[in-house]
Amino acid sequence: MRNLFVKGFMAAAAVVALASCSNDEEVVMTTPEGDATVTLGVSVSVPGTKAATTADQVNQDADFAAITGISVVPMINGVRQSVIALGDITAGATNKTSWVEETIQSSVNGFRVYAGVPAEVLNGITTSAFSYAAPETEDNAHSDLVTWMESNMTGKSLIGQYPLMYFANTDAGDGYYATQSESDWNLVADWGTKSKNAIGTTNNRVKIDGVQYGVGVLASGVAYRRNVTADTAEEETCFGDADQASGDTNYSALSLSDGQGMILKGIFIQDQPTAIDADLQGTDHSGVLVAAATDATLKTEKLTFNDQNRVGTANIYAIVMPEDNKAVTVSFQFQNNTGKSLYLKSGDEIADGGYAYYSTTLTPNVNGNQTAENPLKIFDADYTTLLNANVINWSNGTPYLPQTTDVQIGVEIDVDWQKGLEYDVEI
């Protein structure tokens, strides 16, 4: 269902800062233990690829998107220090390296690297109570859906997509490189081994690797009756004139001209975080993410990953946050543009111009990309999830998003025998 998304983002940096508070109590100023002047740089190695809902904007196309707002937050024993901004990487460049000299405290022993996070968000990232709220959705056309959610999906809200963000945490990995060299940063021949020790006063080169996507991407292709050979005229009998009763099966088969039909509008993804913390982890998963379709033409063939693990021709791209849910419900939204009413199996009528939702529940499945040692999530940082959906029957839709609930499911096996027939014969 998903494949490893292209990696290859390396960065190096450090900064000068006064110590910040590590909790909500008073700020404690630390006494400098000595400073170190180091050459700090960032190197981004990208796969020749273009700038978030199109293929190029999520690096699924041929040229990578501009990587904006590359910033580093140095850490002293887990306490976040002030942010240092290192600039952008221009879209389309195959490789770009830059470096600066900064004076940092010698007690710095860790780094967080961010890119793509809005500047106004990064300005507050050194506070212990940091939280980045999900962007508001740009889809303002469905006030009736929002009203329905408020009454029927208590506690859930419609949210927009987070930006394409990158992240690294040296504490979570093997640390960072620090070395002494008289060469420029990008000419250092031997970086040695990684360390989580304090930078010290003698090291003058710092490199941080392992900077990768802090988000996932859902790429989805949508089809109608792909590989279904049954008579489509029979399928179209769920459409009829608005004055016909929903129980009447004698609807005329549709003969649609260009621009008519069931139009793919977008996707709704439940249980996405409405806020994330400084490690880009969700702090609340009550959001319903909406992403618009960039290509409404339904597919005749399944989408597949190419040799670079990309999916460049999807109907919908959605930036998704990692999650630990055992199941995620997604719903494709179609607008009825047939000129007739659509009658659903539920008995609901979708008038011309109205919306119907076609849903499925995704669960982690063991496929060629998932092993016991690498148990992938449905959506995971640095991974692309590929979803091929095939609408079989337009009457299978619902007038609103499906509601979900968590239940405990179990079985009880009765091993007792029942009393059957009893025979007493002479032979």
Side-chain angles (χ1 to χ4, degrees), residues 6 17 34-35 44 69 101 151 155 188 205 209 231 244 261 273 285 352 354 361 364 387 406 416 418:
V6 179
D35 295 330
V44 181
E101 282 195 357
S151 300
V188 175
R205 301 285 184 270
D209 65 2
D231 183 7
Q244 290 180 287
H285 286 79
D352 182 51
T361 298
L387 171 60
D406 292 329
D416 293 329
Q418 302 297 311

Side-chain angles (χ1 to χ4, degrees), residues 376-392:
L376 297 177
K377 301 175 184 178
I378 299 171
F379 304 134
D380 211 346
D382 206 44
Y383 286 81
T384 295
T385 301
L386 174 56
L387 171 60
N388 281 298
N390 189 18
V391 178
I392 299 299

Side-chain angles (χ1 to χ4, degrees), residues 200-254:
T201 58
T202 58
N203 289 317
N204 64 349
R205 301 285 184 270
V206 170
K207 182 171 73 171
I208 306 163
D209 65 2
V211 183
Q212 60 187 32
Y213 298 102
V215 299
V217 166
L218 172 66
S220 183
V222 186
Y224 170 62
R225 296 176 68 82
R226 181 181 56 235
N227 298 328
V228 177
T229 58
D231 183 7
T232 58
E234 179 182 354
E235 166 62 17
E236 293 165 346
T237 58
C238 56
F239 295 94
D241 296 328
D243 58 354
Q244 290 180 287
S246 59
D248 184 355
T249 59
N250 296 320
Y251 302 159
S252 300
L254 294 179

